[in-house]
Amino acid sequence: VETAKRLGIKVLKRSELLGRLLIESKQRVIRVAGSYGKSTTTAMIGSILLSAKLNPTVIVGAYVPSFSSHAVIGKGPYAVVESCEFDSSFLDIPGFVSVITSIEADHMDYYRGGLEEVLGEFSKFSNQTNPNGALVVCEDNENIRNFFMTQHRGEVRTYGLNYGEWQAISSVKCSDKRHSFIVRFREKEFSKFEIALPGQHYVQNALAAIVVSNFIGVGIDAIASGLQQFQGVSRRYDMVIERDGVKVIDDYGHTPFEIYTVVKTIKEEYPNSLLLCVPCLRQFHRTERQIKEFASAMLLADTCVIAPIVRGLGDDESTIDILLSEKLASEIRVSGGIAVSVSSDNEAVSKILKILNMSTAFTKIILTIGSGVSKGVIDLLRKEL
C-alpha cells in the first residue's frame, strides 16, 4: 500500500470499491448492518431472493454452505450486502433498503467517542437510505429501542420477538433442530414459517428477512421456501463433530451478548447435557474492557476451558498480551462458575478429554466460540474423540 501511494496509484478500501461496483451494477442494494446477526440475516434474505428466482447478487462476510461461497453474483434487480460498521465502512455502500439488526458499543478502538459515536454513525447509515426504499430495525435491541428510535425522525419498519410492528408470537416452537413460528404484523396474523436452525436469535434474523422480502414484493410461498432451504452460515452454530454422545459446536459469536445467546440456546436444546465452553477470543483490548461481561456470559455453561486470547484489530504494542486467558478464567470463578485456562491447543484438548471422562452425562456438548482460532482445537478433537 505504501509503495502504491508513493507511485501515485490510487488505493481504495474494500468497501469503497464494493460501493462503486454496486452503483455501476444498477441493482437496488439491500444492505444489512448491526453489531451481530448481520451475516445470517444477509444470507437468509439472499436465500429467499434465490427461491423467488430474482437472480440476486448476495455478498456475505462469512462462508455460506448453500452458496458454496461467500457470494453469489446475479444479474437480477437486487443485491444483498453485509455492511460492517467498523471504520464507518458501511457508509460506502449505497442503500435502497437498510437493515439494522443491533447496535452495541463495539469497535471502541475506532469509535473513541463510545456508544454515542456508534449511534451517530448508524444514524448516518439510516439517513442514507433511498427515500423510495425502507429502513428496517430490530426493536428488541435496547440501544435501538431506547436511543436510536428516539432520535430517528424518518419512516421505519420495526421487528422483534418482544417489540416491533412485525413479531414472532410467543408460540415459537423448537423440535428436531427446527423452529416453527407464526408472524404477526400489527397484531394481525401474516403467516407461519419454519427454519432449520435452533435458537430464537435465528427467528429474529428470519423476521428481518421476512420484513425486507415482503417490502420488495416477494410472495409468502417464496419467503417460506427460502427460509426452509436455508442451512445456516459457516461458524454460526456449526455442528462440526458428532460422535458417541459427544457433539462439538463451533460458533463465531465474539461479543458477550452473542456468547450468552449461543450458550443459552444449547442449554435449551440439550437441557440435560454437559456443556463445556471453550472460548477462543480475539482482541486483547476488547476482552480486557468487557471482561466482567464475558465472564457473566459464560456462567450458564457447566465448565469452561479458556483458550489463549489472540491479537485482533485495534491491538498494538501497548495492548498485546495485556490480558492472559487465566485472568478471564479467574473472573469466571469469582462470578461462581468453573473455569481453567490453557496455553496451547494440545493443553486445551487434554483438559477437555479429562472433563469428558469425569462426566456421567449421556450427552456432552463442546462449544468452541469466538472470533479467535478454534480450528486447532477442533482438528485435535477429531483425532482424539
Side-chain angles (χ1 to χ4, degrees):
V1 171
E2 289 174 355
T3 302
K5 288 178 177 178
R6 190 169 65 248
L7 294 174
I9 297 171
K10 191 169 184 62
V11 176
L12 295 176
K13 289 196 305 181
R14 172 190 178 274
S15 56
E16 290 176 310
L17 178 58
L18 181 56
R20 291 188 184 190
L21 291 171
L22 289 166
I23 290 170
E24 289 180 9
S25 77
K26 307 297 184 186
Q27 291 176 306
R28 290 182 166 182
V29 178
I30 300 164
R31 54 185 187 162
V32 182
S35 301
Y36 45 81
K38 53 184 176 286
S39 294
T40 299
T41 302
T42 303
M44 278 182 170
I45 297 170
S47 181
I48 290 170
L49 299 194
L50 287 166
S51 177
K53 312 227 180 288
L54 287 172
N55 192 20
T57 289
V58 190
I59 300 173
V60 188
Y63 184 82
V64 184
S66 59
F67 299 167
S68 298
S69 176
H70 292 70
V72 173
I73 307 303
K75 300 291 186 182
Y78 295 102
V80 192
V81 183
E82 179 176 346
S83 305
C84 183
E85 76 276 17
F86 175 72
D87 75 357
S88 300
S89 64
F90 61 178
L91 300 181
D92 295 325
I93 309 296
F96 175 68
V97 173
S98 299
V99 180
I100 303 176
T101 63
S102 50
I103 301 175
E104 300 293 346
D106 199 4
H107 303 299
M108 292 297 99
D109 54 304
Y110 178 78
Y111 293 111
R112 299 300 174 91
L115 178 60
E116 186 176 349
E117 186 180 357
V118 175
L119 286 163
E121 293 303 283
F122 272 98
S123 290
K124 291 178 187 177
F125 174 82
S126 63
N127 291 335
Q128 287 180 334
T129 307
N130 189 298
N132 297 316
L135 173 64
V136 179
V137 305
C138 180
E139 210 170 2
D140 283 338
N141 180 263
E142 288 186 14
N143 290 326
I144 289 179
R145 188 171 66 252
N146 296 335
F147 300 109
F148 178 85
M149 291 293 289
T150 61
Q151 299 168 8
H152 185 72
R153 294 290 174 263
E155 185 178 351
V156 61
R157 287 167 167 78
T158 60
Y159 69 92
L161 301 179
N162 302 303
Y163 299 89
E165 56 186 357
W166 290 84
Q167 289 189 22
I169 62 172
S170 57
S171 61
V172 173
K173 296 179 181 178
C174 183
S175 61
D176 192 28
K177 299 182 182 179
R178 304 185 75 87
H179 255 110
S180 61
F181 55 98
I182 295 170
V183 172
R184 283 183 174 173
F185 174 63
R186 294 176 180 170
E187 302 301 320
K188 183 179 179 180
E189 186 171 319
F190 178 68
S191 190
K192 183 178 180 180
F193 299 94
E194 185 178 86
I195 56 174
L197 296 164
Q200 293 199 22
H201 56 299
Y202 287 121
V203 175
Q204 206 174 52
N205 300 153
L207 271 172
I210 291 164
V211 176
V212 170
S213 302
N214 175 258
F215 172 75
I216 64 174
V218 178
I220 289 176
D221 289 346
I223 296 174
S225 176
L227 289 177
Q228 282 184 328
Q229 293 172 27
F230 181 68
Q231 297 298 312
V233 174
S234 180
R235 293 213 67 212
R236 270 64 173 183
Y237 209 86
D238 202 350
M239 186 75 72
V240 291
I241 303 174
E242 198 165 0
R243 292 178 193 163
D244 301 325
V246 179
K247 303 176 190 289
V248 180
I249 297 171
D250 189 37
D251 196 278
Y252 186 75
H254 57 285
T255 67
F257 179 82
E258 289 175 294
I259 292 172
Y260 171 79
T261 300
V262 174
V263 171
K264 182 171 179 285
T265 296
I266 292 174
K267 294 299 283 187
E268 289 172 351
E269 187 179 3
Y270 304 100
N272 299 314
S273 67
L274 168 78
L275 174 52
L276 197 168
C277 183
V278 185
C280 303
L281 302 183
R282 184 181 297 279
Q283 291 188 336
F284 294 101
H285 69 95
R286 175 171 59 193
T287 311
E288 169 78 11
R289 182 172 56 83
Q290 295 185 289
I291 189 166
K292 291 186 181 299
E293 291 86 349
F294 276 111
S296 178
M298 297 168 196
L299 290 179
L300 273 180
D302 295 298
T303 187
C304 296
V305 175
I306 315 296
I309 299 162
V310 297
R311 180 176 183 171
L313 282 170
D315 283 324
D316 54 26
E317 297 306 317
S318 67
T319 60
I320 293 175
D321 295 332
I322 60 169
L323 182 70
L324 299 177
S325 56
E326 175 54 29
K327 188 171 181 181
L328 177 56
S330 176
E331 191 68 41
I332 292 171
R333 293 194 295 267
V334 168
S335 301
I338 301 172
V340 295
S341 62
V342 295
S343 58
S344 68
D345 292 341
N346 282 311
E347 188 183 357
V349 172
S350 176
K351 295 279 188 185
I352 290 167
L353 294 175
K354 184 176 180 180
I355 293 167
L356 294 182
N357 290 333
M358 291 174 61
S359 172
T360 58
F362 182 74
T363 303
K364 304 174 182 71
I365 312 294
I366 302 167
L367 170 65
T368 55
I369 190 163
S371 58
V373 185
S374 61
K375 185 178 183 301
V377 171
I378 293 169
D379 287 347
L380 287 170
L381 285 172
R382 281 198 175 96
K383 296 177 183 178
E384 298 293 339
L385 289 177

